[in-house]
Amino acid sequence: MTLSLPSDRPDGLNFGLSTLTPLASPMTADTLSRHPDDRYSVLARGWGSDVEDLTGVAARGRRAVPGWPDLQPEGPGRWDRAALRRVEAAVDEILAQGLRPEITLSDNDVPRWLDERGGWRIRETALRYADFAEQLGRRIGDRVSRWVTTPELASLVTDHVAGMRPPSRGGGPRGLAALHHALLGGGLADQALRAAAVTGRVGAAVPLFGAYPATDDPYDRLAADDFEQWAVRLFTDPLLTGHHMDPEGLEAGCPRNPATLAERPGDMSTISRRPDFLTLHWQVPCWVTVPENLPRTVPAQGRYRPLLEANRLLARLGFALVPSDDLEANSIGLPVMPEAIADAVARLQQQYGPLLPPLDIVDRGKGDLGPGKRAQHLKSQLFWLSRLVDEGLRLEGFGYLAVTDDTAWKLSYAQAYGRAKAAVPPDPLPALPCEWASTGPFKERPRPVRPGSPVVLLGD
């Protein structure tokens, strides 16, 4: 028995697999050339089989990153011709198998020569990013079905604001200038691809988290709203409304969102162009409380110490996260709640209404439960999303990125937590939350206490 998902697209919903293994990498070309799907993990291919079993539709999309550092290793205007040929060959391999090539321009990877100048903290990176997009558009623009121009924004913010990778990069709220430049780079890349007359659709991407109040305290509802500001609207407002949102709780001396300090005339119209589609990178549901409620929501057990230390940072933004022990968890301890993805999309639909373009969702694999339960999880996700489609949601794609295909996570964050061991250790390793929360850029910032509430000393 197959599960149908209504769609206003004539060819139905597009399913696909994603990987962050760069197409231009020599290692990729040498070791994974037998079949295009060798670039995707067993988990991802298993998800594709689940899709076909449940819907009767094959997951034909194959999304990958080209690998900007490999393509332009020596400086502006200088391209590695062999790397360009590897990307072209990889795209041709995908087409030869009857699959659809899709390109995400960058998952926050920047050439070393540009990173040494400041990476996304400097405006030049946005301009060079557009050059990169133009070069790819001219090379493979007639073969790629969909392009995602926006870099991976969630990790960009944790790197440049919180300093998770590397710790020295964190600039506190003023690091949000990097977000502005990344959004600008996405807009300029959109223009460059269209100028190169690519035949595929051109879209943008943002992270998506679920937010639920941890208790029935009305202040927890407000805390969940604060979380949504920082985890969702920080990215969607500039893309969909043409304005950076101004979150509450910024430090003294920063009356506006610091991202606005990087603006120049014309930037926001470039950022808020109308993309053909918007990819939502689904992450995880989160349970949110005001910091004053932590003593009654987080058990004082040793295994929660990393969470409490991370909350030292989050509390300064007006909220804190609590564990979800009553839910099933996956192999890396993250909660599994299939309806959460639809709840988060519904919130977006309510927030932006007609401003919301057609959506393409990529589940980043953090809810994976293994072969048997994975199929049931997917079926439940599609059921809840189908109800939104019945109510008018324009959903045109659903894809999957397994944790094991996320090389940045696998080689750095995962290794730091002892979940994976890299053949070549990253340099430098990211700091654990207990380090960047207690010594990072937010350390000295006081947070106002709600009148009548006890003072909570997190981790002290």
Side-chain angles (χ1 to χ4, degrees):
M1 179 178 179
T2 60
L3 176 71
S4 62
L5 184 66
S7 173
D8 59 2
R9 290 178 55 80
D11 55 348
L13 192 66
N14 294 317
F15 292 97
L17 310 181
S18 295
T19 183
L20 300 182
T21 302
L23 298 179
S25 168
M27 181 176 66
T28 301
D30 292 342
T31 62
L32 302 175
S33 60
R34 296 180 298 278
H35 189 283
D37 275 2
D38 289 343
R39 296 184 176 88
Y40 301 84
S41 71
V42 173
L43 287 176
R45 284 176 276 168
W47 184 90
S49 297
D50 292 341
V51 166
E52 192 161 5
D53 291 343
L54 289 170
T55 68
V57 176
R60 294 163 55 89
R62 293 297 182 271
R63 186 171 298 183
V65 293
W68 189 10
D70 293 302
L71 289 166
Q72 203 175 17
E74 297 183 0
R78 304 171 67 182
W79 300 93
D80 186 319
R81 300 298 169 184
L84 285 169
R85 287 193 294 270
R86 286 194 291 270
V87 172
E88 291 188 81
V91 170
D92 289 340
E93 286 175 5
I94 294 171
L95 284 169
Q97 296 294 328
L99 304 171
R100 290 191 309 270
E102 303 178 2
I103 291 293
T104 294
L105 285 178
S106 172
D107 195 66
N108 204 14
D109 50 347
V110 174
R112 180 177 292 274
W113 57 269
L114 197 51
D115 191 54
E116 289 173 349
R117 299 181 189 180
W120 287 111
R121 289 172 292 174
I122 62 171
R123 189 179 184 87
E124 180 189 2
T125 302
L127 306 179
R128 301 302 181 191
Y129 189 65
D131 296 340
F132 163 60
E134 189 270 340
Q135 178 71 216
L136 286 178
R138 287 196 296 106
R139 288 275 183 160
I140 56 175
D142 60 336
R143 285 163 278 178
V144 174
S145 64
R146 303 212 292 185
W147 300 82
V148 177
T149 63
T150 323
E152 209 290 298
L153 299 175
S155 63
L156 183 142
V157 167
T158 58
D159 292 350
H160 288 277
V161 175
M164 279 203 69
R165 187 181 53 166
S168 60
R169 179 173 288 171
R174 297 184 187 278
L176 289 174
L179 172 64
H180 177 81
H181 294 145
L183 290 167
L184 177 62
L188 293 172
D190 183 295
Q191 294 175 354
L193 289 171
R194 296 182 193 277
V198 299
T199 57
R201 292 158 61 78
V202 182
V206 294
L208 182 65
F209 293 82
Y212 298 92
T215 73
D216 57 3
D217 185 337
Y219 281 96
D220 280 3
R221 175 67 265 174
L222 296 177
D225 290 342
D226 286 342
F227 173 83
E228 283 190 337
Q229 284 190 97
W230 283 98
V232 180
R233 288 186 51 211
L234 184 68
F235 313 108
T236 51
D237 271 16
L239 273 172
L240 301 180
T241 71
H243 302 281
H244 286 292
M245 67 94 179
D246 287 321
E248 297 179 0
L250 287 176
E251 65 183 8
C254 294
R256 299 182 300 161
N257 184 335
T260 62
L261 302 178
E263 281 184 35
R264 293 186 185 176
D267 281 4
M268 297 313 296
S269 61
T270 299
I271 289 171
S272 61
R273 80 282 185 194
R274 292 291 295 174
D276 296 333
F277 62 92
L278 179 65
T279 292
L280 304 175
H281 287 150
W282 169 243
Q283 307 291 332
V284 290
C286 298
W287 280 260
V288 191
T289 188
V290 288
E292 293 84 359
N293 283 342
L294 277 175
R296 68 187 184 98
T297 55
V298 179
Q301 297 173 348
R303 66 191 180 100
Y304 292 112
R305 184 175 179 274
L307 178 62
L308 287 169
E309 293 290 352
N311 280 332
R312 291 175 66 94
L313 169 62
L314 301 178
R316 289 156 172 79
L317 303 178
F319 58 86
L321 301 181
V322 303
S324 49
D325 286 344
D326 54 337
L327 291 177
E328 188 171 13
N330 66 3
S331 61
I332 59 174
L334 296 172
V336 176
M337 183 178 174
E339 65 269 31
I341 190 171
D343 288 345
V345 172
R347 291 275 291 176
L348 274 187
Q349 195 174 25
Q350 181 184 40
Q351 180 78 36
Y352 296 104
L355 295 177
L356 202 63
L359 297 180
D360 165 63
I361 298 173
V362 174
D363 185 340
R364 290 186 73 100
K366 297 183 179 66
D368 192 4
L369 288 166
K373 294 182 179 180
R374 181 187 59 219
Q376 183 59 45
H377 180 71
L378 171 63
K379 183 177 180 179
S380 297
Q381 286 181 315
L382 294 178
F383 169 77
W384 290 107
L385 287 170
S386 69
R387 299 184 66 170
L388 296 182
V389 172
D390 287 341
E391 296 170 2
L393 178 72
R394 294 182 295 168
L395 179 64
E396 64 179 41
F398 192 82
Y400 181 78
L401 173 64
V403 168
T404 49
D405 282 320
D406 188 340
T407 52
W409 188 91
K410 183 165 55 179
L411 297 180
S412 56
Y413 294 100
Q415 185 178 358
Y417 285 101
R419 299 291 185 181
K421 184 175 181 179
V424 179
D427 183 24
L429 284 172
L432 287 166
C434 58
E435 297 170 14
W436 55 255
S438 58
T439 63
F442 291 85
K443 179 178 185 293
E444 301 301 330
R445 184 180 165 223
R447 179 184 177 275
V449 177
R450 173 156 53 102
S453 298
V455 174
V456 180
L457 301 177
L458 300 176
D460 291 344

